[in-house]
PDB file of all heavy atoms in Angstrom:
ATOM      1  N   LEU A  39      11.639   2.865  -7.755  1.00 51.00           N
ATOM      2  CA  LEU A  39      10.336   2.740  -8.401  1.00 51.00           C
ATOM      3  C   LEU A  39      10.432   1.909  -9.670  1.00 51.00           C
ATOM      4  O   LEU A  39       9.598   1.041  -9.928  1.00 51.00           O
ATOM      5  CB  LEU A  39       9.779   4.131  -8.729  1.00 51.00           C
ATOM      6  CG  LEU A  39       8.430   4.182  -9.442  1.00 51.00           C
ATOM      7  CD1 LEU A  39       7.358   3.495  -8.602  1.00 51.00           C
ATOM      8  CD2 LEU A  39       8.033   5.623  -9.722  1.00 51.00           C
ATOM      9  N   TYR A  54     -10.725 -12.257 -16.222  1.00 40.00           N
ATOM     10  CA  TYR A  54     -12.050 -12.087 -16.807  1.00 40.00           C
ATOM     11  C   TYR A  54     -11.999 -11.443 -18.187  1.00 40.00           C
ATOM     12  O   TYR A  54     -12.977 -10.893 -18.665  1.00 40.00           O
ATOM     13  CB  TYR A  54     -12.936 -11.270 -15.858  1.00 40.00           C
ATOM     14  CG  TYR A  54     -13.314 -12.083 -14.643  1.00 40.00           C
ATOM     15  CD1 TYR A  54     -12.576 -11.981 -13.472  1.00 40.00           C
ATOM     16  CD2 TYR A  54     -14.364 -12.986 -14.693  1.00 40.00           C
ATOM     17  CE1 TYR A  54     -12.893 -12.752 -12.368  1.00 40.00           C
ATOM     18  CE2 TYR A  54     -14.690 -13.754 -13.595  1.00 40.00           C
ATOM     19  CZ  TYR A  54     -13.955 -13.638 -12.434  1.00 40.00           C
ATOM     20  OH  TYR A  54     -14.280 -14.397 -11.354  1.00 40.00           O
ATOM     21  N   GLY A  64      -9.841   0.943 -13.943  1.00 97.00           N
ATOM     22  CA  GLY A  64     -10.665   2.087 -13.621  1.00 97.00           C
ATOM     23  C   GLY A  64     -10.016   3.123 -12.727  1.00 97.00           C
ATOM     24  O   GLY A  64      -9.048   2.853 -12.012  1.00 97.00           O
ATOM     25  N   LYS A  72     -21.825  21.650  -7.768  1.00 97.00           N
ATOM     26  CA  LYS A  72     -23.035  21.424  -8.559  1.00 97.00           C
ATOM     27  C   LYS A  72     -22.751  21.354 -10.047  1.00 97.00           C
ATOM     28  O   LYS A  72     -23.279  20.487 -10.759  1.00 97.00           O
ATOM     29  CB  LYS A  72     -24.060  22.514  -8.258  1.00 97.00           C
ATOM     30  CG  LYS A  72     -25.431  22.267  -8.867  1.00 97.00           C
ATOM     31  CD  LYS A  72     -26.447  23.280  -8.362  1.00 97.00           C
ATOM     32  CE  LYS A  72     -27.832  22.960  -8.903  1.00 97.00           C
ATOM     33  NZ  LYS A  72     -28.844  23.920  -8.373  1.00 97.00           N
ATOM     34  N   VAL A 126     -20.557  14.880 -18.238  1.00 98.00           N
ATOM     35  CA  VAL A 126     -19.309  14.162 -17.967  1.00 98.00           C
ATOM     36  C   VAL A 126     -19.393  12.719 -18.469  1.00 98.00           C
ATOM     37  O   VAL A 126     -18.391  12.159 -18.929  1.00 98.00           O
ATOM     38  CB  VAL A 126     -18.943  14.234 -16.470  1.00 98.00           C
ATOM     39  CG1 VAL A 126     -19.810  13.339 -15.608  1.00 98.00           C
ATOM     40  CG2 VAL A 126     -17.465  13.911 -16.256  1.00 98.00           C
ATOM     41  N   MET A 138     -18.937   3.631 -14.979  1.00 98.00           N
ATOM     42  CA  MET A 138     -19.739   3.190 -13.852  1.00 98.00           C
ATOM     43  C   MET A 138     -20.311   4.446 -13.187  1.00 98.00           C
ATOM     44  O   MET A 138     -19.558   5.355 -12.840  1.00 98.00           O
ATOM     45  CB  MET A 138     -18.922   2.421 -12.812  1.00 98.00           C
ATOM     46  CG  MET A 138     -19.769   1.949 -11.618  1.00 98.00           C
ATOM     47  SD  MET A 138     -18.834   1.555 -10.100  1.00 98.00           S
ATOM     48  CE  MET A 138     -17.741   0.268 -10.677  1.00 98.00           C
ATOM     49  N   ILE A 146     -24.866  15.033   6.512  1.00 97.00           N
ATOM     50  CA  ILE A 146     -24.481  16.432   6.674  1.00 97.00           C
ATOM     51  C   ILE A 146     -23.877  16.656   8.050  1.00 97.00           C
ATOM     52  O   ILE A 146     -22.842  17.310   8.199  1.00 97.00           O
ATOM     53  CB  ILE A 146     -25.711  17.346   6.462  1.00 97.00           C
ATOM     54  CG1 ILE A 146     -26.153  17.289   4.983  1.00 97.00           C
ATOM     55  CG2 ILE A 146     -25.390  18.783   6.861  1.00 97.00           C
ATOM     56  CD1 ILE A 146     -27.412  18.057   4.697  1.00 97.00           C
ATOM     57  N   ASP A 156     -23.235   3.988   9.158  1.00 95.00           N
ATOM     58  CA  ASP A 156     -24.004   3.938  10.404  1.00 95.00           C
ATOM     59  C   ASP A 156     -25.482   4.235  10.210  1.00 95.00           C
ATOM     60  O   ASP A 156     -26.245   4.206  11.192  1.00 95.00           O
ATOM     61  CB  ASP A 156     -23.417   4.925  11.420  1.00 95.00           C
ATOM     62  CG  ASP A 156     -22.002   4.569  11.833  1.00 95.00           C
ATOM     63  OD1 ASP A 156     -21.805   3.425  12.277  1.00 95.00           O
ATOM     64  OD2 ASP A 156     -21.103   5.410  11.701  1.00 95.00           O
ATOM     65  N   HIS A 178     -33.809   7.499  -9.600  1.00 98.00           N
ATOM     66  CA  HIS A 178     -33.510   8.711 -10.390  1.00 98.00           C
ATOM     67  C   HIS A 178     -32.224   8.508 -11.192  1.00 98.00           C
ATOM     68  O   HIS A 178     -32.173   8.783 -12.396  1.00 98.00           O
ATOM     69  CB  HIS A 178     -33.377   9.916  -9.461  1.00 98.00           C
ATOM     70  CG  HIS A 178     -32.882  11.147 -10.139  1.00 98.00           C
ATOM     71  ND1 HIS A 178     -33.686  11.935 -10.929  1.00 98.00           N
ATOM     72  CD2 HIS A 178     -31.636  11.711 -10.188  1.00 98.00           C
ATOM     73  CE1 HIS A 178     -32.979  12.948 -11.418  1.00 98.00           C
ATOM     74  NE2 HIS A 178     -31.727  12.827 -10.987  1.00 98.00           N
ATOM     75  N   GLU A 196     -21.352   1.338   0.649  1.00 97.00           N
ATOM     76  CA  GLU A 196     -20.928   1.325   2.059  1.00 97.00           C
ATOM     77  C   GLU A 196     -22.076   1.562   3.036  1.00 97.00           C
ATOM     78  O   GLU A 196     -21.908   2.213   4.068  1.00 97.00           O
ATOM     79  CB  GLU A 196     -19.831   2.374   2.283  1.00 97.00           C
ATOM     80  CG  GLU A 196     -18.589   2.150   1.430  1.00 97.00           C
ATOM     81  CD  GLU A 196     -17.623   3.311   1.447  1.00 97.00           C
ATOM     82  OE1 GLU A 196     -17.994   4.413   1.905  1.00 97.00           O
ATOM     83  OE2 GLU A 196     -16.483   3.133   0.972  1.00 97.00           O
ATOM     84  N   GLN A 203     -30.624  -5.218   5.529  1.00 96.00           N
ATOM     85  CA  GLN A 203     -32.079  -5.310   5.350  1.00 96.00           C
ATOM     86  C   GLN A 203     -32.365  -5.941   3.991  1.00 96.00           C
ATOM     87  O   GLN A 203     -32.836  -5.310   3.050  1.00 96.00           O
ATOM     88  CB  GLN A 203     -32.702  -3.918   5.449  1.00 96.00           C
ATOM     89  CG  GLN A 203     -32.384  -3.184   6.737  1.00 96.00           C
ATOM     90  CD  GLN A 203     -32.959  -3.895   7.947  1.00 96.00           C
ATOM     91  OE1 GLN A 203     -34.125  -4.288   7.957  1.00 96.00           O
ATOM     92  NE2 GLN A 203     -32.145  -4.049   8.980  1.00 96.00           N
ATOM     93  N   ILE A 211     -35.814  -2.790  -4.130  1.00 98.00           N
ATOM     94  CA  ILE A 211     -34.816  -1.914  -4.753  1.00 98.00           C
ATOM     95  C   ILE A 211     -34.226  -2.536  -6.016  1.00 98.00           C
ATOM     96  O   ILE A 211     -34.244  -1.921  -7.105  1.00 98.00           O
ATOM     97  CB  ILE A 211     -33.699  -1.567  -3.753  1.00 98.00           C
ATOM     98  CG1 ILE A 211     -34.257  -0.849  -2.518  1.00 98.00           C
ATOM     99  CG2 ILE A 211     -32.621  -0.724  -4.436  1.00 98.00           C
ATOM    100  CD1 ILE A 211     -34.906   0.477  -2.820  1.00 98.00           C
ATOM    101  N   GLU A 231     -17.506  -5.209   5.265  1.00 95.00           N
ATOM    102  CA  GLU A 231     -18.945  -5.472   5.104  1.00 95.00           C
ATOM    103  C   GLU A 231     -19.240  -6.604   4.136  1.00 95.00           C
ATOM    104  O   GLU A 231     -20.290  -7.252   4.224  1.00 95.00           O
ATOM    105  CB  GLU A 231     -19.625  -4.173   4.625  1.00 95.00           C
ATOM    106  CG  GLU A 231     -21.090  -4.266   4.287  1.00 95.00           C
ATOM    107  CD  GLU A 231     -21.589  -3.094   3.446  1.00 95.00           C
ATOM    108  OE1 GLU A 231     -20.767  -2.218   3.073  1.00 95.00           O
ATOM    109  OE2 GLU A 231     -22.795  -3.061   3.160  1.00 95.00           O
ATOM    110  N   LYS A 256       3.760   3.942  10.582  1.00 86.00           N
ATOM    111  CA  LYS A 256       3.994   4.872   9.485  1.00 86.00           C
ATOM    112  C   LYS A 256       5.197   4.419   8.668  1.00 86.00           C
ATOM    113  O   LYS A 256       6.065   3.673   9.156  1.00 86.00           O
ATOM    114  CB  LYS A 256       4.209   6.286  10.007  1.00 86.00           C
ATOM    115  CG  LYS A 256       5.473   6.488  10.818  1.00 86.00           C
ATOM    116  CD  LYS A 256       5.571   7.947  11.265  1.00 86.00           C
ATOM    117  CE  LYS A 256       6.873   8.204  12.016  1.00 86.00           C
ATOM    118  NZ  LYS A 256       6.993   9.614  12.456  1.00 86.00           N
ATOM    119  N   LYS A 269      -2.361 -11.036   2.815  1.00 93.00           N
ATOM    120  CA  LYS A 269      -3.241 -11.564   3.860  1.00 93.00           C
ATOM    121  C   LYS A 269      -4.702 -11.333   3.496  1.00 93.00           C
ATOM    122  O   LYS A 269      -5.529 -12.251   3.557  1.00 93.00           O
ATOM    123  CB  LYS A 269      -2.919 -10.903   5.199  1.00 93.00           C
ATOM    124  CG  LYS A 269      -3.850 -11.313   6.334  1.00 93.00           C
ATOM    125  CD  LYS A 269      -3.438 -10.662   7.628  1.00 93.00           C
ATOM    126  CE  LYS A 269      -3.837  -9.208   7.700  1.00 93.00           C
ATOM    127  NZ  LYS A 269      -5.309  -9.054   7.931  1.00 93.00           N
ATOM    128  N   ILE A 290     -10.297   1.869  -4.352  1.00 96.00           N
ATOM    129  CA  ILE A 290      -9.046   1.537  -3.680  1.00 96.00           C
ATOM    130  C   ILE A 290      -8.177   2.780  -3.794  1.00 96.00           C
ATOM    131  O   ILE A 290      -8.088   3.391  -4.863  1.00 96.00           O
ATOM    132  CB  ILE A 290      -8.364   0.295  -4.296  1.00 96.00           C
ATOM    133  CG1 ILE A 290      -7.059  -0.008  -3.584  1.00 96.00           C
ATOM    134  CG2 ILE A 290      -8.177   0.436  -5.805  1.00 96.00           C
ATOM    135  CD1 ILE A 290      -6.422  -1.327  -3.996  1.00 96.00           C
ATOM    136  N   TYR A 368       2.079   2.662 -16.015  1.00 90.00           N
ATOM    137  CA  TYR A 368       2.836   1.482 -16.413  1.00 90.00           C
ATOM    138  C   TYR A 368       1.959   0.237 -16.394  1.00 90.00           C
ATOM    139  O   TYR A 368       1.985  -0.577 -17.307  1.00 90.00           O
ATOM    140  CB  TYR A 368       4.028   1.264 -15.484  1.00 90.00           C
ATOM    141  CG  TYR A 368       5.175   2.221 -15.704  1.00 90.00           C
ATOM    142  CD1 TYR A 368       6.121   2.431 -14.702  1.00 90.00           C
ATOM    143  CD2 TYR A 368       5.327   2.912 -16.892  1.00 90.00           C
ATOM    144  CE1 TYR A 368       7.177   3.308 -14.882  1.00 90.00           C
ATOM    145  CE2 TYR A 368       6.370   3.782 -17.082  1.00 90.00           C
ATOM    146  CZ  TYR A 368       7.294   3.977 -16.074  1.00 90.00           C
ATOM    147  OH  TYR A 368       8.335   4.838 -16.262  1.00 90.00           O
TER     148      TYR A 368
END
Side-chain angles (χ1 to χ4, degrees):
L39 179 59
Y54 288 95
K72 189 172 184 178
V126 74
M138 180 200 301
I146 292 175
D156 296 305
H178 172 78
E196 300 169 346
Q203 304 296 312
I211 300 297
E231 175 197 3
K256 67 179 183 180
K269 176 178 77 74
I290 179 172
Y368 285 160

